[in-house]
Amino acid sequence: MAEQLLPAAVARLQKGDPASEVLQAVDFGEHLDGEFTEALKGALQTLLEAVEAEEYTRDASQRALVAVARRVQAIVHQLAKDLHSMQIIHGTDVVVSRGLQDIDHRNALIGRLAASIAVLGDARPGRQWSKAIPLYDVLRGAMSRIVDYPRVKLQAVAEVAVVGPGAEPLIHLLAELLDNATTFSPPHTPVEVTASEVPSGIAIEIEDRGVGLTEEVRQHVERVMAQAQSGINLAGLGEVTQLGLPVVSRLAREHGCEVHLRTSAYGGVRAVVLVPRRLITTVPQPVVKAPEPVRNRTGGLILPRRAPARETVRDSGEARKTANGLPQRRRESPVPKPVVLAAPTPPVAPAAPGGTSGSSREPGLMWEAFNGEKRSAAEPSTPHNEPSDEVE
């Protein structure tokens, strides 16, 4: 009865089988007396009915708890929308805008508490995202749900994204760890967060500079997290409820994450969250929308005017020819027409001895063939080390 029948019967009750079906399936054997068999069956029935009533009460309390949490979350969501509208209207007033931001932040804290209650009731924390969320935005979302968010410093974050169904649970899990790190550390110390890629997924480290964990506290934390793995007993939370670690353990178990608490190099606590590879994807690229077509008064489309294509030998492969049939050069960009500078005619040099002049051409102009034009000596020629616009 103690080692075989009762444990097997309770396990079937927890799976959802009614007590009557479980009792009919129990076989006490034929070696027992009939009256003794009936007595055992009666005792087992009493035990199974008590366990069934307890399971029904527990399930009803959890469903009621989740219903209350969902109502609070609906109010928080509507209040967040109203605050967003007020921020748009009164955004120019610095004092009012800052006050609205503080109220919005406190509203997010209420939403996190409602999500924790829903998790304790064996339900999902809240909203679900249809698209992947970058890990940087996930960490920023977790920071927005704690009181001392300015103390959190993001050091290095891997450029990955979290799949939609796993984004909200990870945000809530990290928010609980960040809240513990800021609560149990001096108010002037920072809380450093890093996220690096490892072979099994992503390792997120949250390190504070608090008093650390004693051996007694460490054993208590491990016991609470181990109990949350099998199921959370609401009656065992006590009057002074600390929901952080049970919620973290429950979310980690449901989504395959691993959470380890260690002593940091600064004497505080380092929480390491290992996110599995199945929750990680690539960062979504932004979608560039095409401009909407513009129509004129008659309803026709106004197409954008195309820029004239530059005629180059590389594009067409055929060279243009002049009227005489000779190949003509092309340029990728128009070259301004050279300007001929008129230089004053210098005085004629005296005749050299022997009756011959110093030069047979005008000494003040240097004539060069440049596309059929003349260029003055005062206009410098193109250096050999500068690229030319011409295409051979």
Side-chain angles (χ1 to χ4, degrees):
M1 175 70 75
E3 297 178 359
Q4 299 179 10
L5 297 181
L6 189 57
V10 172
R12 291 190 59 181
L13 281 178
Q14 292 179 348
K15 292 180 179 180
D17 297 341
S20 58
E21 293 183 2
V22 175
L23 191 60
Q24 291 178 0
V26 174
D27 185 14
F28 293 96
E30 299 179 356
H31 61 286
L32 299 179
D33 188 5
E35 295 181 359
F36 188 69
T37 302
E38 291 297 329
L40 288 178
K41 185 176 293 186
L44 184 59
Q45 182 178 1
T46 303
L47 291 173
L48 291 181
E49 289 177 354
V51 173
E52 187 178 31
E54 183 69 21
E55 289 293 326
Y56 177 78
T57 303
R58 179 174 177 272
D59 183 66
S61 62
Q62 284 186 347
R63 285 188 280 108
L65 200 64
V66 172
V68 173
R70 293 292 184 244
R71 293 182 62 181
V72 175
Q73 286 178 327
I75 297 174
V76 168
H77 182 65
Q78 184 62 39
L79 183 58
K81 293 176 60 177
D82 297 340
L83 289 173
H84 181 66
S85 301
M86 294 180 65
Q87 287 176 357
I88 295 177
I89 297 174
H90 304 284
T92 56
D93 194 333
V94 179
V95 178
V96 177
S97 178
R98 184 173 301 175
L100 292 175
Q101 290 179 1
D102 294 339
I103 297 175
D104 191 15
H105 181 66
R106 298 293 177 179
N107 186 50
L109 300 182
I110 300 174
R112 180 169 65 88
L113 179 60
S116 298
I117 296 175
V119 172
L120 294 178
D122 200 12
R124 57 183 178 85
R127 68 183 70 178
Q128 287 186 346
W129 305 93
S130 59
K131 298 181 180 179
I133 308 297
L135 183 58
Y136 183 83
D137 294 340
V138 169
L139 295 173
R140 295 280 295 179
M143 291 170 53
S144 66
R145 301 183 185 183
I146 65 173
V147 178
D148 294 333
Y149 63 92
R151 294 172 51 193
V152 181
K153 308 299 180 183
L154 298 180
Q155 299 296 334
V157 180
E159 295 184 359
V160 295
V162 182
V163 296
E168 180 64 24
L170 185 59
I171 291 175
H172 193 78
L173 186 150
L174 295 174
E176 295 292 345
L177 292 177
L178 289 174
D179 183 68
N180 287 341
T182 54
T183 302
F184 298 101
S185 61
H188 62 277
T189 59
V191 175
E192 299 179 354
V193 179
T194 59
S196 58
E197 192 170 359
V198 295
S200 58
I202 296 296
I204 304 175
E205 298 183 8
I206 302 174
E207 186 175 15
D208 61 50
R209 303 186 182 184
V211 296
L213 294 176
T214 62
E215 187 63 27
E216 182 181 358
V217 174
R218 183 187 301 276
Q219 293 179 1
H220 173 70
V221 168
E222 293 178 354
R223 184 171 60 254
V224 169
M225 297 185 69
Q227 292 176 355
Q229 291 288 339
S230 58
I232 298 176
N233 186 10
L234 300 180
L237 295 176
E239 296 180 358
V240 183
T241 57
Q242 294 181 357
L243 308 181
L245 292 179
V247 171
V248 167
S249 180
R250 193 60 176 264
L251 291 174
R253 180 182 64 87
E254 292 182 357
H255 297 278
C257 300
E258 297 181 10
V259 180
H260 302 279
L261 300 180
R262 307 172 182 174
T263 302
S264 69
Y266 301 100
V269 178
R270 173 182 293 180
V272 181
V273 181
L274 184 59
V275 184
R277 180 70 63 180
R278 60 182 179 84
L279 297 181
I280 302 301
T281 182
T282 57
V283 178
Q285 299 296 330
V287 180
V288 180
K289 296 183 178 180
E292 298 182 359
V294 182
R295 299 183 180 273
N296 54 18
R297 296 180 178 179
T298 60
L301 294 178
I302 300 178
L303 299 178
R305 182 177 298 177
R306 294 184 178 180
R310 291 185 292 185
E311 297 178 352
T312 59
V313 178
R314 295 190 185 98
D315 294 338
S316 60
E318 297 181 359
R320 294 170 57 183
K321 297 182 179 180
T322 60
N324 300 329
L326 299 177
Q328 183 179 2
R329 287 185 176 181
R330 300 178 182 178
R331 299 182 181 272
E332 295 183 354
S333 59
V335 178
K337 185 177 181 180
V339 180
V340 178
L341 299 179
T345 304
V348 180
T356 59
S357 61
S359 176
S360 60
R361 62 179 181 178
E362 296 182 11
L365 296 178
M366 179 171 58
W367 304 92
E368 293 184 1
F370 186 78
N371 285 348
E373 299 289 344
K374 298 180 180 179
R375 184 167 57 187
S376 172
E379 182 181 359
S381 60
T382 304
H384 295 289
N385 57 353
E386 294 183 4
S388 175
D389 291 336
E390 297 180 3
V391 178
E392 297 294 342

